[in-house]
Amino acid sequence: MPVAESDLPDTVAPVEGAIRNPANPHHFMVVQPAGRRIRIFFGDRLVADSMDALRVIEIGRRAYEPRLYLPKQALTVPLVKLDKVTHCPLKGDAHYFSLEGQEIAWAYRSLDFAAVLDGLYSFWGDNMRIVEGE
């Protein structure tokens, strides 16, 4: 069950639109539409292009780098699913994907309360170029 902002202990500040980890209300994320075209490049190769991306801001033990998540329909190249899976108590199980032998992306099988991210793809910033806007 998601934690309602009105049910938070007094020690936890409410954040409008927050999706919280039921086991730890200090671990939460805010998901917002990116509101513009998002293109993801691997070198000069376009790997995703979308007007429907979401921006995720996550707070846990620290503030994490904001991430963009794009729907599968945004992919312009086939990605290879890897055997690697990790778990986040807020977002669910992340499955990882590669292109040309290099791990570049992940997608969540989200927990019920974080279903907004289910099946969306995010990309490592280190080896990718992210272009926002036209």
Side-chain angles (χ1 to χ4, degrees), residues 1-72:
M1 275 308 272
V3 177
E5 292 295 299
S6 60
D7 294 334
L8 292 173
D10 291 338
T11 58
V12 178
V15 174
E16 186 177 332
I19 298 169
R20 293 185 183 270
N21 174 349
N24 178 2
H26 295 284
H27 184 199
F28 66 92
M29 66 181 166
V30 176
V31 180
Q32 304 167 328
R36 63 180 104 189
R37 183 179 183 193
I38 303 295
R39 289 174 290 159
I40 311 288
F41 292 87
F42 179 68
D44 290 332
R45 191 170 181 187
L46 179 68
V47 297
D49 188 348
S50 180
M51 292 293 294
D52 298 317
L54 297 176
R55 187 178 317 280
V56 175
I57 300 166
E58 181 179 354
I59 305 293
R61 286 176 270 162
R62 61 183 175 86
Y64 296 97
E65 178 182 341
R67 292 286 180 189
L68 293 163
Y69 284 81
L70 288 73
K72 185 173 186 170

